Amino acid sequence: MKIRTLLVDDQPTGLAVLRDMLHFEPDIEIIGMVSSGPEAVEVINRLVPDLVFLDVQMPELDGFGVVAQIKPRRMPVIIFVTGHDDYALKAFEAHALDFLVKPCQMARLRSAVQRAREQIQNNQSGEIQQKLDDLLQDLKNGLKYPERLAVKSNGRIVFLRLTDIDLVEAADNYVKLYIGKE
């Protein structure tokens, strides 16, 4: 079985490198390469790929925006790709299957492709659809921030409600939090 794959990156070099690396995966069939978020949404909705390697940072519409605009009839497996690893947490919060940092290492890419194979096989059980439905719901609801903060003070952990904090002050390698008169 061929895995119908779409590559999305606003940098032509990024597309070419990823295409060349995936050439060594015999079951990966690249059905398209696009360079913008709006184009990615259109092609994903039209071609319904099994797997999408999706750049996070793109002008107009970033990778997270692309995922939010995909029609949910059958969501592809998403592997986010970016030059900045600080997006990793947000990618996994967006229920991504995997996250690759450019320049991609071949071993890391193969690991991500193997996970995609397994996920696509599990697609028959409906497990992936549930995760993708959760992703779409999270994207529609927006990010939720924590309500409390764990703070170590005088050798113990105290949970503070963020709404109770009046002032935050930098103090060299420490932070001072002011709540009421404390």
Side-chain angles (χ1 to χ4, degrees), residues 28-83:
I28 297 292
E29 175 188 4
I30 298 174
I31 61 170
M33 299 191 319
V34 298
S35 59
S36 73
E39 187 181 10
V41 171
E42 188 275 322
V43 171
I44 291 168
N45 288 333
R46 183 169 41 87
L47 297 180
V48 192
D50 301 310
L51 174 62
V52 176
F53 285 87
L54 183 58
D55 188 16
V56 172
Q57 281 190 303
M58 294 183 289
E60 294 181 68
L61 186 64
D62 68 9
F64 301 111
V66 168
V67 171
Q69 290 188 21
I70 296 172
K71 293 179 185 172
R73 71 174 192 226
R74 197 188 69 131
M75 185 74 98
V77 172
I78 304 289
I79 297 175
F80 283 109
V81 183
T82 187

Side-chain angles (χ1 to χ4, degrees), residues 95-108:
H95 306 274
L97 175 73
D98 213 329
F99 183 86
L100 299 174
V101 178
K102 298 176 192 174
C104 299
Q105 302 297 314
M106 186 57 100
R108 184 71 184 89

Side-chain angles (χ1 to χ4, degrees), residues 7 11-23 103-104 109:
L7 309 181
Q11 298 175 352
T13 306
L15 285 171
V17 167
L18 197 52
R19 179 198 63 217
D20 292 346
M21 292 175 79
L22 289 169
H23 176 74
C104 299
L109 176 74

